[in-house]
Amino acid sequence: MRASEQAAKWTAQATALKNDGYNGSVVARKMIEEHGMPEAAALALVGGLYGKSVNPRSGDTTTAVLTGLGLIALGIAIALTTAALTEAITGGSTAVYVFSLGLFGAGATKTFIALVNAGVKEDLKR
C-alpha cells in the first residue's frame, strides 16, 4: 500500500474513532496499538483532528488513582454505616466489616500501584 493510501486510511480510522466519542488520548493510543501507526505520526494526526496536543499515555494514572480512592471511600462508608446501624441493633456484623476492609485494601492497592507506575514511560504495544 502506498504511503498516501495508508495516510488516508489512518485519517479515516482516526476520524471514525473521534466520531464514536473517544477522547484524543484514546484515539492516539488506538491508532498506535491497533492500527500500527508510528507514534509521532499518530500524535500529529490526532492532535490535528482535535486541535490540541494529545498524549497516548495520559489518563491511565488518574483513572486508577480515582478508582482506588473511590474504593477506599466506599469501604470506609460501608464500615461506618454498618457500625452506626448494627451496633444499636445487634452488636455488629463481622462479615460486613471484612467486606469493607477488603474494599479498602483493594482501593489502597490500586492507588499505590498507580502512583508507583506514574512516572514510568512504557512502550505502547503494536
Side-chain angles (χ1 to χ4, degrees), residues 26-122:
V26 172
V27 172
R29 187 176 316 131
K30 284 181 172 282
M31 293 307 297
I32 295 165
E33 290 181 346
E34 295 177 11
H35 301 291
M37 191 172 191
E39 186 170 343
L43 296 179
L45 172 66
V46 176
L49 285 175
Y50 284 85
K52 62 181 181 178
S53 62
V54 295
N55 181 352
R57 293 173 185 82
S58 71
D60 297 336
T61 301
T62 304
T63 301
V65 168
L66 291 177
T67 302
L69 293 176
L71 288 172
I72 290 171
L74 183 62
I76 291 171
I78 289 172
L80 292 177
T81 303
T82 302
L85 295 176
T86 59
E87 286 295 326
I89 300 170
T90 64
S93 173
T94 306
V96 175
Y97 290 125
V98 170
F99 174 74
S100 62
L101 183 62
L103 282 176
F104 182 87
T109 301
K110 187 168 194 64
T111 302
F112 178 76
I113 290 171
L115 291 174
V116 166
N117 292 329
V120 178
K121 181 179 178 183
E122 60 185 57

